[in-house]
Amino acid sequence: MAQALRITLGQHSRAGRKALNQDFHGAAVPTGTLLRTKGIAIAIADGIGSSAVSQIASAAAVRGFLDDYYDTSEAWTVRRAAQRVLEATNAWLHAQTKRSDARFDPDRGYVCTFSALILKGREAHLLHVGDTRVYRLHPQALEQLTDDHRLHTSSAETYLARALGVGPSIEIDYRHWPLEPGEVYLLASDGAYEHVQATDVHQALAAHADDFDAAASALIDTALARGSQDNLTVQLVRIDSLPEPDARHLPVQREGLALPPPLQPRMRFEGYTIVRELHASARSHVHLAVDDASGQQLVLKTPAADLREQPALLDRFLLEEWVARRLDSANVLKPCATERPRQHLVVAMEYVDGQTLAQWMTDHPRPSLDSVRRIVAQIAQGLQAFHRKEMLHQDLRPENVMIDTTGTVKIIDFGSVHVAGLAEGSSEPRPEALVGTLQYTAPEYFLGQGGTAASDLFALAVLSYQMLSGQLPYGLHVTRVRSERDASRLHYTPLREHRPELPAWLDAVLRRALQPQPHKRQEALSEFIHDLHEPASHYLPTRAPALIERNPVIFWKTLSALLAAAVIALLLLRLYGH
């Protein structure tokens, strides 16, 4: 059986010498898919003594985080998911203060400090605001992993500079690092950590090796014995095991699913009747089919037989459906919902009655700018659906775009999609892997750099250029880039060399989107689309273009006519001038 992330956890909290405990703590240790996609979360919050309602803030922060974090998209990274939850919690706490008697004095409002440790795959992620602390235990010391957000006004006075609920927005510290088996982490409020040392933690763990709750309680006893006057909370976490470094931590499992047999027309398969084959490649086979129960036409995608000995590719095959189910866009192919259990590796997707963009380009060799803009805008909307979920498509090409009979454009084929949330702490291919079609792949991939949304923008700009001209902006030279120098020597062929009737500013817009350096491209897909429709002033020529730029054919014809007239005039002058 594959090794999984396992921990030993202990927790304890007391009011100490105070009447009310304003600390709060908790942990969530899921199993199965949630363990792989979201990990284990441990959280601690500490209220402020000047507030009579701070304990409500602490409880709301911890409970809300542990509930809402697991409801965020599995495609999101830990950082994005956790920060979104904490931003919402902060806004709620601040709103509660504004509706209370403490609206003019935040020190009496719904305010607390907060720290969370999230363990996912083989990595730890830390979210922190305030002065609760997270430590890593060493043989002779406690390594503090958090910064205290306190303002020192004098050697004797400090004030809390940052906490949840103080303002309408919040800055949250984030860091992450690789985990190691056997590591021990300590989360504590100031009433505890100000009075314990590394030797105390080691002694407590040695005395209560099989009961980390008792070890946490013993540390609180130690802090109280040394004079702690505050609430005390301690959480202890030991990393018992980690997934294998090469393990695939995907949210879909193919155990028990057989490779499908070759599909033929009229064949009954998994509750569908096969109509005909639509496409076949070395990676997959695509068939038009009819759902026997509903009569709905749909597409069945099955892996090619050659993938039988490639388990990583078979896992990614099922991941395509998982990706599709998490996207909501009219411009992205949708999966077909079914409650029937599957016996084979097969994915059912909606059927698009139309043509690929590749066929459209064949049928429209010199399309109008407006028709291209309509298609590009819809592709961009589909890509934005991926990017909102922290996904990169990575294989945008004419064959992966469909246009139906109503003119709706849909992105299809998710076999190369990179999901940031699944890549954390796992062997999910990194976004710099060359997984797409080379002539549409951004230069940064060839340089081993990380792919970003700007990489999908580059591919979209290549498609835009190709639709208008039938050519590629750099030919095949991008596929030969191996160094920064190679990238800097890429020569963009002006679009107007192929279509001189198109406006000059269009070249400027496309040239920017096709910059070899990602940071020089438009900052977002929406900016690129806006530029295509309403170019900014810096794209427009500062002078009227010369005739040779506007229409080189007319220029050369006119020049030839003038030269011919001059030659005739000279001949006439020579004949009759004497």
Side-chain angles (χ1 to χ4, degrees), residues 75-87:
W76 283 358
T77 58
V78 167
R79 181 176 189 174
R80 181 173 184 179
Q83 287 188 338
R84 286 288 182 89
V85 171
L86 290 176
E87 287 165 1

Side-chain angles (χ1 to χ4, degrees), residues 443 458 462 465 471-480 487 489-493 510-511 513-516:
F458 181 93
V462 174
Y465 185 102
Q471 305 294 323
L472 298 172
Y474 296 113
L476 295 178
H477 295 291
V478 171
T479 65
R480 300 169 193 151
R489 295 166 76 177
L490 286 173
H491 175 69
Y492 170 85
T493 302
L510 289 172
R511 188 191 298 267
L514 291 164
Q515 281 286 336

Side-chain angles (χ1 to χ4, degrees), residues 127-147:
L127 287 300
H128 168 73
V129 56
D131 63 354
T132 45
R133 289 183 183 178
V134 178
Y135 294 93
R136 179 162 39 199
L137 180 64
H138 295 281
Q140 305 299 327
L142 284 168
E143 176 191 2
Q144 185 175 338
L145 302 174
T146 52
D147 295 323

Side-chain angles (χ1 to χ4, degrees), residues 407-439:
T408 300
V409 180
K410 293 180 181 287
I411 298 173
I412 66 173
D413 196 321
F414 313 135
S416 300
V417 170
H418 171 80
V419 184
L422 301 183
E424 290 180 314
S426 76
S427 63
E428 170 72 6
R430 293 170 59 83
E432 60 263 30
L434 283 169
V435 294
T437 305
L438 298 186
Q439 57 265 43

